[in-house]
């Protein structure tokens, strides 16, 4: 999955060096970022003119905190490629005025001309970014209270479960679906139910990722473990 995703991203960068990528954090894209770094080292694919905007950031953590997504992005990708880090954007989780920060981030995405290719993961509850079930499909960048299942899923990165922040800033669902193209990555057995629901359920705000069915340019790259829940032949699917 990671190789297919990274090959696709590299192809896009090569055909348009000034591309704006929307990036995600978490376990799912880690392998993809490793492949991008290896390719940069071996083949010299350049990120000099690439702009990036990340989906989300925890409220209350500065960019230097080792659990912040800013830190994740630096250590998992930005420090290992030739991107201009002034062009690599994330919401500021330690902003004094969080509401203003949401507004600033939404405007920033608009001002840079929107996202060309957005990388997404999916939560077990169908969240995209940190847009938990029930979030409006029209939402813009906003502050969210994290679902307890999301805090539990992310506790693996923190010393103590209670250390997981309770809030985050996230691109809204309306922000995400404005992206010209979306690449959704789904991996592992823990995501098989989410994948099944995504394919089989109706488009409904109780399952945020379902909105992707209405987007005109979405590709889903799914590994075998996450795809196992689907009956063969139900959808045209090639399992990696
Ligand atoms: P994960 O998170 O990649 O760590 O599973 C994905 C998500 O919650 O969107």
């Amino acid at each position: 999955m990671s190789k297919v995703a990274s090959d696709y991203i590299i192809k896009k960068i090569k055909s348009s060096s000034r591309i704006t990528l929307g990036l995600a954090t978490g376990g799912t894209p880690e392998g993809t970022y490793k492949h991008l770094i290896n390719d940069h080292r071996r083949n010299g694919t350049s990120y000099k003119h690439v702009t990036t905007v990340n989906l989300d950031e925890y409220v209350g953590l500065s960019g230097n905190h080792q659990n912040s997504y800013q830190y994740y992005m630096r250590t998992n990708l930005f420090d290992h490629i030739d991107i201009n880090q002034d062009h690599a954007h994330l919401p500021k989780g330690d902003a004094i005025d969080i509401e203003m920060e949401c507004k600033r981030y939404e405007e920033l995405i608009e001002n840079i001309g929107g996202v060309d290719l957005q990388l997404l993961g999916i939560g077990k509850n169908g969240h995209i970014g940190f847009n938990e079930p029930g979030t409006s499909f029209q939402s813009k960048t906003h502050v969210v209270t994290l679902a307890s299942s999301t805090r539990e899923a992310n506790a693996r990165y923190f010393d103590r479960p209670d250390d997981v922040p309770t809030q985050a800033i996230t691109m809204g669902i309306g922000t995400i679906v404005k992206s010209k193209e979306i690449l959704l990555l789904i991996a592992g057995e823990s995501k098989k139910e989410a994948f099944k629901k995504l394919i089989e359920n109706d488009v409904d705000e109780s399952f945020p990722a379902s909105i992707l069915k209405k987007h005109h340019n979405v590709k889903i790259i799914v590994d075998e473990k996450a795809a196992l829940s689907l009956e063969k032949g139900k959808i045209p699917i090639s399992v990696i």
Side-chain angles (χ1 to χ4, degrees):
M1 180 200 72
S2 301
K3 178 79 171 84
V4 173
S6 58
D7 283 352
Y8 192 75
I9 295 167
I10 291 162
K11 198 174 84 184
K12 289 279 168 179
I13 294 170
K14 284 191 168 148
S15 69
S16 168
S17 65
R18 295 189 177 274
I19 193 168
T20 295
L21 296 176
L23 298 178
T25 50
T28 309
E30 274 174 16
T32 301
Y33 296 150
K34 285 201 177 91
H35 283 294
L36 294 181
I37 293 166
N38 283 339
D39 163 75
H40 170 70
R41 288 187 179 142
R42 287 205 192 114
N43 308 318
T45 303
S46 178
Y47 295 74
K48 264 193 189 126
H49 303 295
V50 171
T51 299
T52 65
V53 281
N54 263 76
L55 285 168
D56 43 25
E57 179 61 283
Y58 288 118
V59 167
L61 302 191
S62 83
N64 290 324
H65 191 289
Q66 63 174 11
N67 288 119
S68 72
Y69 285 159
Q70 171 88 251
Y71 186 90
Y72 170 107
M73 288 310 302
R74 284 205 306 273
T75 51
N76 283 286
L77 184 64
F78 299 153
D79 285 352
H80 311 285
I81 56 176
D82 63 343
I83 194 164
N84 177 344
Q85 295 209 24
D86 291 341
H87 297 164
H89 306 282
L90 286 94
K92 293 189 199 327
D94 60 348
I96 292 166
D97 187 335
I98 291 292
E99 294 299 336
M100 276 297 289
E101 175 59 11
C102 293
K103 199 165 172 282
R104 179 195 74 85
Y105 200 67
E106 186 74 21
E107 283 169 9
L108 178 136
I109 295 169
E110 259 180 58
N111 291 341
I112 59 180
V115 174
D116 296 309
L117 177 65
Q118 176 69 54
L119 195 61
L120 284 185
I122 187 171
K124 281 198 265 185
N125 61 5
H127 74 205
I128 48 175
F130 271 137
N131 293 287
E132 304 288 20
T135 306
S136 161
F137 283 156
Q138 271 79 48
S139 53
K140 297 184 171 174
T141 302
H142 63 293
V143 180
V144 289
T145 297
L146 300 175
S148 48
S149 62
T150 301
R151 292 186 69 228
E152 277 160 28
N154 290 0
R156 66 191 195 275
Y157 295 110
F158 290 78
D159 291 339
R160 288 182 307 254
D162 280 354
D163 291 348
V164 183
T166 55
Q167 289 189 311
I169 298 176
T170 183
M171 279 188 202
I173 298 179
T175 325
I176 292 170
V177 296
K178 270 197 220 157
S179 309
K180 297 175 191 90
E181 182 174 7
I182 292 175
L183 201 54
L184 171 62
L185 307 186
I186 312 181
E189 210 176 328
S190 67
K191 298 293 172 65
K192 71 180 189 192
E193 280 309 312
F195 180 50
K196 189 172 157 69
K197 282 186 189 157
L198 174 63
I199 299 303
E200 294 181 356
N201 289 13
D202 292 338
V203 177
D204 190 274
E205 287 178 354
S206 63
F207 196 77
S210 63
I211 190 65
L212 300 177
K213 294 188 192 194
K214 298 237 163 174
H215 193 282
H216 62 284
N217 196 359
V218 177
K219 291 181 178 62
I220 306 177
I221 308 179
V222 55
D223 77 351
E224 199 170 28
K225 284 188 179 144
L228 280 178
S229 58
L230 282 193
E231 287 163 39
K232 282 208 169 71
K234 196 142 200 179
I235 51 164
I237 182 171
S238 52
V239 176
I240 301 156

